[in-house]
Amino acid sequence: MEIETFKDRINLTNNGKLQIFFIGTGSAFNKVDFQNNLLVIKGQDHVLIDCGTLFSYALKTYNTPLTKIRTILPTHSHSDHIGGLEEVAYTNFYVTRQKPSLIVPDFYKKTLWEKSLAGACSYGEEKGIDNFFTFDDYFKQICPVELKNTPRPVYEANAGSINLKLVRTRHILCPNADWNKIFYSVGVLIDDRIFFSGDTKFDRPMLDWIEQTYKPECIFHECIFFESPVHSSYDELLTLPEEMRKKMFLCHYGENHREFLPQDDGFAGFAERGLYYTF
């Protein structure tokens, strides 16, 4: 792996190598490091994983127009992950007249639209007061296919040359923890090489399955510094095997992360925004 610093503007194409570029690495309330949104770049293709409320502002600091982002994978419906989609929808609809692609299963497409986006985006002067806009007026859907014989739901999609496996995570649970009923959230396995956890409770069975099945080169895992029923704490991640920790970069952290030295505890370190991680 090589790590390069951002210069001038984000390069959304490259020579075919797999790159990860963090727009931000912070938690929902972190204003210094922006929110945990990242780009996957490979050849002529790119995918934005999550589009939070600070996304367009963060992108402006990288001198990169929002309309250049053509494919987006939302991992779940919290505002630091989807809060920027309304601006993406309107900017493309009214300015470029193009539709970006969203990588979403059918059932989550319905939830994302009806529970989060429709309140504003369903109304528009071109349709009239009794004729509402729909998801398909703003976005193209890339619908992942659910894989068989996996220990939890896993959906697979391709964005050009980039292969993506969406692995259901246990972020917010309901009492019976039925996958068909709990809050939709996913981690993302990229080209079977890089695993991004998304938001999740500490989930050792998931990490063990990813490690045993795919042996990823690198893991970008969310981390907070206190106990939480919906996130993975630093202390919990410390219980992971040394071999897993040494290839794990921590992200989705608070502004206080500089008080910690993860390398001293066997981690690869903190992921940092504004860097290209090239594999």
Side-chain angles (χ1 to χ4, degrees):
M1 181 184 66
E2 297 178 358
I3 301 177
E4 304 171 58
T5 304
F6 160 83
K7 297 176 182 177
D8 300 324
R9 67 185 60 197
I10 300 172
N11 295 320
L12 293 172
T13 60
N14 62 26
N15 61 3
K17 291 185 177 180
L18 181 62
Q19 286 184 317
I20 306 295
F21 182 91
F22 277 86
I23 303 294
T25 51
S27 65
F29 312 115
N30 186 336
K31 303 300 188 293
V32 175
D33 304 291
F34 300 143
Q35 295 158 336
N36 201 41
N37 305 169
L38 60 147
L39 279 161
V40 181
I41 306 159
K42 183 182 176 186
Q44 299 301 305
D45 304 306
H46 70 267
V47 177
L48 172 68
I49 300 179
D50 288 329
C51 181
T53 50
L54 297 178
F55 170 72
S56 64
Y57 173 71
L59 209 62
K60 183 76 171 178
T61 70
Y62 297 119
N63 303 311
T64 304
L66 178 151
T67 52
K68 294 293 185 181
I69 306 301
R70 306 311 310 155
T71 306
I72 303 171
L73 193 168
T75 64
H76 64 287
S77 290
H78 284 149
S79 64
D80 53 322
H81 300 270
I82 63 159
L85 286 179
E86 181 182 314
E87 184 174 352
V88 169
Y90 281 145
T91 303
N92 281 281
F93 187 85
Y94 289 108
V95 178
T96 69
R97 295 289 178 176
Q98 296 180 338
K99 296 180 184 179
S101 296
L102 257 60
I103 302 174
V104 286
D106 283 332
F107 69 90
Y108 181 55
K109 171 186 174 182
K110 176 179 171 65
T111 300
L112 178 63
W113 178 254
E114 293 181 355
K115 301 294 186 181
S116 297
L117 298 178
C121 293
S122 59
Y123 295 89
E125 68 282 355
E126 296 188 17
K127 288 278 187 173
I129 195 166
D130 295 318
N131 190 6
F132 297 103
F133 286 99
T134 70
F135 178 102
D136 298 312
D137 288 306
Y138 295 103
F139 302 106
K140 294 181 287 186
Q141 179 191 13
I142 297 175
C143 186
V145 175
E146 185 167 2
L147 301 182
K148 297 179 179 180
N149 302 317
T150 55
R152 63 181 64 205
V154 178
Y155 317 97
E156 184 174 35
N158 291 300
S161 62
I162 303 170
N163 180 260
L164 303 157
K165 291 182 175 68
L166 288 58
V167 182
R168 288 294 297 272
T169 59
R170 298 185 180 278
H171 182 25
I172 295 180
L173 303 179
C174 62
N176 63 9
D178 183 336
W179 289 111
N180 294 318
K181 296 180 180 179
I182 67 173
F183 183 82
Y184 174 85
S185 60
V186 295
V188 185
L189 184 67
I190 304 161
D191 275 355
D192 293 348
R193 298 175 62 190
I194 312 299
F195 183 63
F196 170 67
S197 73
D199 284 14
T200 179
K201 290 165 58 73
F202 181 67
D203 193 341
R204 180 67 184 271
M206 176 185 69
L207 290 171
D208 285 344
W209 178 72
I210 292 289
E211 179 65 25
Q212 292 163 11
T213 306
Y214 297 101
K215 296 178 173 56
E217 300 167 37
C218 183
I219 298 171
F220 293 99
H221 202 290
E222 70 126 292
C223 171
I224 60 171
F225 302 105
F226 54 89
E227 291 186 11
S228 168
V230 296
H231 290 289
S232 301
S233 74
Y234 188 81
D235 287 344
E236 288 172 317
L237 294 170
L238 279 173
T239 67
L240 293 171
E242 179 183 357
E243 289 299 308
M244 194 180 295
R245 277 184 283 125
K246 72 180 184 181
K247 61 180 178 181
M248 180 176 286
F249 287 89
L250 306 179
C251 53
H252 197 278
Y253 41 68
E255 293 177 9
N256 64 334
H257 75 280
R258 292 166 182 83
E259 299 171 13
F260 295 81
L261 297 172
Q263 290 96 331
D264 290 351
D265 290 319
F267 294 101
F270 286 120
E272 296 183 34
R273 68 179 180 90
L275 299 179
Y276 295 95
Y277 296 84
T278 304
F279 299 89

